[in-house]
Amino acid sequence: MTFPMFDNGYSRKDPNFYNMLLLSLVAHFTAIIIVLFSVPSAPRHLTFGPVYSVSLVGPQGIPAKSQESSSLVKEIEQADIAGEAANSFIYKKQINQSVSVPIEKADTDRISIEKAINAIRRKGLAQRMSSNSLPRNNSGGRTDRMAAAGGASISETSGGTAAGGSGGQASDYAGFVSSRVHSNWSIPPELKPKSNIVTVIEIRIRRDGLLAYAAFEKRSGNKIYDESAMKAVKKSAPFPPLPAAYPSGIMEIGIRFHPSQLR
Amino acid sequence: MLIALLISSFVFFGGDAAAKVYVDVNSPNFRLFSIAICDFNTADAGIVSKSGNLGVALADEIKMYLKLTGLFNPLNKKSFLDDKFINPVIFANWMMIGADYLVKGTVEQSEQEISNECRLYDVVKGEVLFNKKYTAGRDDLKALAKNIATDILFTLTGEEGDFDTQIAFVAKKGDKGDIYTVGYDGSDLKTVTGHRSIIIAPRWSPNGQFLAFTSFKNDVPAIYIRDLSSGAERKVASFQGINLCGYWSPDGQKLLMTLSKDGNEELYVLEVQNMRLKRLTSNYSIDVSPSWSPDGKKIAFVSNRGGSPQIYTMDADGGNVKRITFEGSYNTTPAWSPRGGRIAFEGLVNHRFQVFTIGEEGDNLSQLTFDAADNESPSWSPSGRQIAYSSRTGSKSKICVMNANGTNVRILREGGGFAMMPMWSPRLK
């Protein structure tokens, strides 16, 4: 029983009805695809394909402590140089507001900036040539041991949702966070846990790099150990601003603390 | 099918790319707790007379005690950006010099007592961990400092520390020896016995009231128990042959010993109250140096039943014997950690004795000393964080203390003779 207004003359038994329906669906889908592809000002997180849009973190964002910049830091900086010059200017301004750098360090910073930039240029070029073959962001977990990060490694639980460049940047950024946390993580040798325990701390970093939240996701049960991990996180903040292409205003990172490399 | 395609494409392209990322951080750096201890403020104390540097002295004493634990690195006060007067605390200035914790406070000395207010700050979190008032006798600055150091250690580690302990040891001049005690910080040397004879193996009772040992004061070896408060001595074993004192049981009711009254050296346990003696081992080889596990259920000892002296464990009733050391040709003097889990002993390496620890199941052997000396007779501190031992080179022997991982070695007692067989007391209050 149909309402008269839906009765447009086509009978359900008429094969034309299904043909028309199919045609209509195909036409609509094609139109949507075209719109998605052709509108350049679409929001960033709707962009797909290997667009490597990156931000300049700026060595000022890196504390004086990590001047002997590890290759991980360089990797992050390397991503920066690919970013637009216009953007970099803005970000430098932001950094100056949020991160305090001792004035006397400015000169050495400048030298290290130039060194870093040169290194990045060279490395960036090489990477761009080979970027297509880099296995980034496989679905499922990726465990990437970064030797230079001094015992820090990343595994991303992307669940098939991390897309292209921003996902890679997120894990690079997280890698930087973990290496900085590692450099600030210490415990008196006598108090090192004998067994293999793990503490997980969830942190949320604001777009400007400030630590918005840090709490235990899982405690190891060893109070001294847990405390040392939390201290490392607190000491490491504030962080550099999030990568510009990062789609969300807050980045959530779970940091797992292991007493030894073997686990 | 098309609808499914549409939905999946929406999920793929429009989904939130901000997935939570997990990172792993392995192997913490090994660094002691860095703590800044300000000189205590004495400025507002009008009654303070000749105590101009009381605040400095108190800070130095606390520093000294914290250093002894092997867990703290008290920062040099020349590096401080802020002085003791700046209130409220500017945490950034302390973080800048690498301090994790900060101690500040005031101290006053009256005719009768020293009173002190002390605050411990967590510099990184920017919070006060404790704010306490202490008092002590007018000249008892050391006790005051010890109390503060104990509270700092307890707040940061949940452990009581070894501040209120002594180490007993045998000091020999020629053939004649006696037992002495010395404080945890190396001060307060006292003589305990006046036997002037061969005297070995001092063993504290778990409550710190008694000291058992073997003495040759009547020319033959016998085991004595001395009441440390009254000085009264009781002979508890003087059998034919060797009478060698072993450890007290954790409940203080029993004393292990090595006797050779039945032929060769065997292990026995004596119930101290009713003097009942029970034999634990029975074989043709030598069994010596028994030490209880902290739960009192097991005993570690040395036996040469396998051909060479090695460390074994057995149940408290003598059953279930198990060899735990297999490395080296000569391993002896086991001491069970009060924390459980590990046994310290001395082992022969390149013709020198060195201190080792090993898991109680024979796992994780770890050599702690490496220097060109005979390092012997390990004894655990009550916290299980430190080990005292004797270090012998030529005709000299000194008492040393190290962390349980072999670091932070300090000489507790040295010079003028032969100090050996250190035995760490329980906590004495």
Side-chain angles (χ1 to χ4, degrees):
Chain A
M1 181 174 163
T2 53
F3 292 100
M5 58 193 276
F6 290 128
D7 191 6
N8 51 10
Y10 289 109
S11 156
R12 293 237 172 129
K13 283 170 189 168
D14 189 344
N16 279 339
F17 174 79
Y18 294 105
N19 286 341
M20 288 298 287
L21 187 65
L22 191 66
L23 197 65
S24 162
L25 274 172
V26 168
H28 277 89
F29 181 62
T30 314
I32 288 168
I33 294 291
I34 287 168
V35 166
L36 279 176
F37 269 107
S38 60
V39 180
S41 61
R44 280 207 166 97
H45 63 276
L46 285 176
T47 313
F48 47 89
V51 179
Y52 230 85
S53 50
V54 286
S55 70
L56 190 70
V57 175
Q60 277 109 324
I62 298 157
K65 246 186 240 172
S66 54
Q67 262 181 18
E68 63 279 48
S69 48
S70 68
S71 76
L72 186 74
V73 173
K74 281 180 185 162
E75 227 175 279
I76 288 172
E77 291 170 346
Q78 152 215 323
D80 296 340
I81 199 64
E84 299 109 345
N87 265 358
S88 75
F89 182 67
I90 293 163
Y91 277 101
K92 267 186 183 164
K93 264 169 95 180
Q94 286 184 352
I95 289 159
N96 285 340
Q97 285 164 0
S98 63
V99 183
S100 65
V101 179
I103 300 154
E104 60 268 27
K105 303 279 183 195
D107 277 345
T108 48
D109 273 351
R110 186 135 306 149
I111 293 163
S112 68
I113 291 166
E114 278 165 18
K115 270 187 194 163
I117 286 175
N118 285 335
I120 290 157
R121 277 209 181 106
R122 269 179 269 122
K123 214 173 160 186
L125 203 70
Q127 172 142 10
R128 229 171 288 159
M129 313 251 278
S130 63
S131 64
N132 291 341
S133 60
L134 269 181
R136 283 202 174 273
N137 300 318
N138 304 335
S139 62
R142 176 172 72 100
T143 307
D144 209 341
R145 202 166 293 285
M146 301 200 176
S153 66
I154 309 168
S155 73
E156 189 176 329
T157 52
S158 56
T161 58
S166 74
Q169 274 200 337
S171 65
D172 281 353
Y173 184 87
F176 171 77
V177 168
S178 74
S179 75
R180 188 192 271 192
V181 169
H182 180 262
S183 72
N184 283 320
W185 185 30
S186 67
I187 195 165
E190 190 52 46
L191 299 178
K192 185 192 171 186
K194 299 280 186 285
S195 55
N196 227 338
I197 55 180
V198 62
T199 296
V200 186
I201 294 180
E202 185 192 325
I203 64 171
R204 291 178 202 149
I205 302 173
R206 266 170 31 184
R207 185 155 278 289
D208 61 2
L210 284 183
L211 182 66
Y213 172 88
F216 288 102
E217 191 174 303
K218 176 179 177 290
R219 285 176 191 267
S220 70
N222 179 332
K223 194 187 148 213
I224 302 169
Y225 186 76
D226 290 350
E227 195 62 27
S228 74
M230 186 55 91
K231 217 173 205 42
V233 168
K234 295 254 162 103
K235 264 189 192 176
S236 305
F239 299 95
L242 298 184
Y246 190 71
S248 167
I250 283 219
M251 187 187 283
E252 272 186 30
I253 303 176
I255 308 176
R256 295 184 287 239
F257 293 84
H258 305 275
S260 62
Q261 204 72 254
L262 305 163
R263 54 177 197 273
Chain B
M1 200 268 290
L2 270 171
I3 290 164
L5 186 66
L6 271 174
I7 290 169
S8 70
S9 69
F10 176 77
V11 168
F12 186 75
F13 293 116
D16 184 9
K20 184 167 171 185
V21 176
Y22 276 91
V23 293
D24 291 294
V25 179
N26 301 313
S27 313
N29 303 292
F30 288 142
R31 222 187 51 172
L32 306 180
F33 290 132
S34 62
I35 187 165
I37 300 172
C38 284
D39 291 341
F40 284 80
N41 203 342
T42 52
D44 56 8
I47 39 172
V48 174
S49 50
K50 53 188 175 184
S51 56
N53 55 6
L54 185 69
V56 180
L58 180 58
D60 287 346
E61 284 288 319
I62 297 172
K63 248 179 254 176
M64 184 272 294
Y65 275 116
L66 289 181
K67 238 180 163 161
L68 293 182
T69 63
L71 300 176
F72 288 88
N73 170 32
L75 299 176
N76 188 333
K77 59 187 169 196
K78 285 182 185 146
S79 69
F80 295 178
L81 300 174
D82 286 355
D83 66 17
K84 58 189 176 180
F85 300 111
I86 292 189
N87 259 323
V89 176
I90 303 164
F91 290 108
N93 286 348
W94 294 103
M95 211 138 118
M96 193 98 76
I97 63 165
D100 290 341
Y101 302 97
L102 168 68
V103 175
K104 284 184 87 167
T106 58
V107 62
E108 290 173 17
Q109 190 176 32
S110 71
E111 291 304 314
Q112 293 83 32
E113 59 175 28
I114 309 173
S115 59
N116 150 265
E117 190 187 337
C118 179
R119 288 181 299 281
L120 174 67
Y121 298 91
D122 184 324
V123 171
V124 177
K125 289 184 178 169
E127 59 190 35
V128 179
L129 294 176
F130 73 68
N131 184 2
K132 279 179 102 166
K133 286 194 165 71
Y134 299 84
T135 52
R138 192 179 186 285
D139 299 312
D140 221 353
L141 194 68
K142 241 181 152 60
L144 190 71
K146 206 191 271 185
N147 286 341
I148 295 172
T150 303
D151 283 344
I152 292 172
L153 180 71
F154 186 78
T155 306
L156 299 185
T157 66
E159 292 177 11
E160 280 188 62
D162 303 310
F163 297 116
D164 283 310
T165 60
Q166 296 176 351
I167 289 109
F169 63 96
V170 174
K172 233 168 59 171
K173 285 178 187 126
D175 286 346
K176 315 286 184 196
D178 264 311
I179 296 175
Y180 291 76
T181 58
V182 65
Y184 176 59
D185 61 351
S187 67
D188 202 17
L189 180 72
K190 282 180 194 154
T191 169
V192 176
T193 56
H195 290 199
R196 299 188 57 74
S197 68
I198 296 172
I199 191 161
I200 49 178
R203 306 283 187 238
W204 293 90
S205 69
N207 61 7
Q209 195 186 343
F210 301 102
L211 200 62
F213 52 87
T214 293
S215 172
F216 285 63
K217 82 170 172 182
N218 297 330
D219 295 330
V220 288
I223 297 174
Y224 298 83
I225 293 177
R226 185 184 177 97
D227 186 329
L228 291 173
S229 50
S230 70
E233 273 177 16
R234 179 155 72 112
K235 197 192 278 184
V236 293
S238 54
F239 299 98
Q240 182 77 34
I242 282 176
N243 296 275
L244 208 51
C245 185
Y247 280 75
W248 294 77
S249 63
D251 61 7
Q253 301 295 312
K254 298 181 202 127
L255 185 65
L256 287 168
M257 47 187 65
T258 305
L259 308 173
S260 63
K261 66 187 180 76
D262 298 321
N264 67 334
E265 291 83 350
E266 299 290 351
L267 303 182
Y268 295 79
V269 62
L270 176 77
E271 288 180 30
V272 176
Q273 290 297 323
N274 55 22
M275 297 296 282
R276 275 219 320 249
L277 191 68
K278 186 185 161 197
R279 185 167 170 172
L280 297 176
T281 57
S282 183
N283 57 49
Y284 292 109
S285 54
I286 295 171
D287 298 317
V288 289
S289 297
S291 163
W292 293 95
S293 67
D295 61 4
K297 288 183 180 157
K298 298 201 122 194
I299 292 167
F301 64 101
V302 176
S303 176
N304 68 350
R305 62 186 70 187
S308 62
Q310 297 291 346
I311 313 293
Y312 290 75
T313 61
M314 64 180 177
D315 291 345
D317 61 2
N320 195 18
V321 176
K322 188 180 163 192
R323 179 172 167 177
I324 63 165
T325 57
F326 293 90
E327 299 268 332
S329 59
Y330 202 108
N331 295 311
T332 183
T333 7
W336 213 304
S337 162
R339 304 175 77 84
R342 291 193 79 73
I343 292 166
F345 63 94
E346 66 194 44
L348 200 57
V349 188
N350 298 328
H351 312 295
R352 292 274 192 199
F353 279 106
Q354 301 291 357
V355 177
F356 292 78
T357 59
I358 193 167
E360 58 191 28
E361 299 296 329
D363 52 312
N364 289 318
L365 179 70
S366 163
Q367 185 175 345
L368 303 184
T369 59
F370 295 88
D371 54 335
D374 282 303
N375 297 305
E376 298 162 307
S377 306
S379 170
W380 296 87
S381 75
S383 70
R385 294 287 185 204
Q386 298 194 312
I387 293 173
Y389 62 98
S390 64
S391 181
R392 177 162 56 91
T393 41
S395 62
K396 295 223 160 164
S397 179
K398 59 197 178 193
I399 306 293
C400 298
V401 169
M402 64 181 166
N403 284 7
N405 59 7
T407 60
N408 195 37
V409 176
R410 67 182 165 102
I411 297 164
L412 189 75
R413 204 71 214 174
E414 145 180 77
F418 210 79
M420 56 184 202
M421 296 184 178
M423 184 57 49
W424 213 309
S425 79
R427 293 188 183 98
L428 308 167
K429 288 287 179 189

